[in-house]
Amino acid sequence: MLKENIKSLRKSRGLSQEELAIQLNVVRQTISKWEQGLSVPDAEMLISISEVFETPVSTLLGEDISESRVDDLKVISEKLEIINLQLSQERSVRRKMIYWLLISLCVITIIIFAVFLLLNSPYLNWNYNDPENAVLGVAFHSFEWLFFRVAPIFLIISVVGIVLIRKKI
């Protein structure tokens, strides 16, 4: 909600992210992160944003103007807590997705290793007098050569990634 409000108010005022960043004394990437929902401004920055857009903080946070509370800082902190919780849940989902991708990469790498070991390079027995067989044999040999040199590195990096992500999940 906050990210859409910041973006729509900025666009309605005809401001670029760079121009808004200059007015708020932040870098353009900060505005981009707010508008993408990757981070949220703190309470003081929300007040500065509301002053630039000449709109109440409650409107930035998605409340109707008719809904006003006595303690605005408490309302802001409650909204920010909800937004931070949503960001935390999104990060958790991303971590789990990366975790399972790394596990899949490990499994696929091990399966390819097993296939190569079981097949024992059958292309070495081909008749290389035929140009098509020669090209295909070289391609298989190049893939196998590259795989046996690069795959262990990917496997180690994947296992380390799995261990590190597992600690955070």
Side-chain angles (χ1 to χ4, degrees), residues 110-121:
I110 291 169
I111 289 172
I112 293 174
F113 265 120
V115 168
F116 275 137
L117 292 176
L118 290 174
L119 293 179
N120 198 18
S121 304

Side-chain angles (χ1 to χ4, degrees), residues 81-97:
E81 186 176 332
I82 291 170
I83 292 170
N84 283 330
L85 181 62
Q86 291 170 342
L87 285 174
S88 173
Q89 289 171 345
E90 287 177 15
R91 279 190 216 114
S92 177
V93 167
R94 261 190 243 124
R95 275 193 207 109
K96 287 179 183 177
M97 188 181 339

Side-chain angles (χ1 to χ4, degrees), residues 1-2 5 56-65 67 79 83:
M1 175 120 11
L2 176 63
N5 289 345
V57 173
S58 58
T59 303
L60 279 175
L61 295 173
E63 284 184 20
D64 292 334
I65 296 174
E67 295 180 28
K79 293 277 188 177
I83 292 170

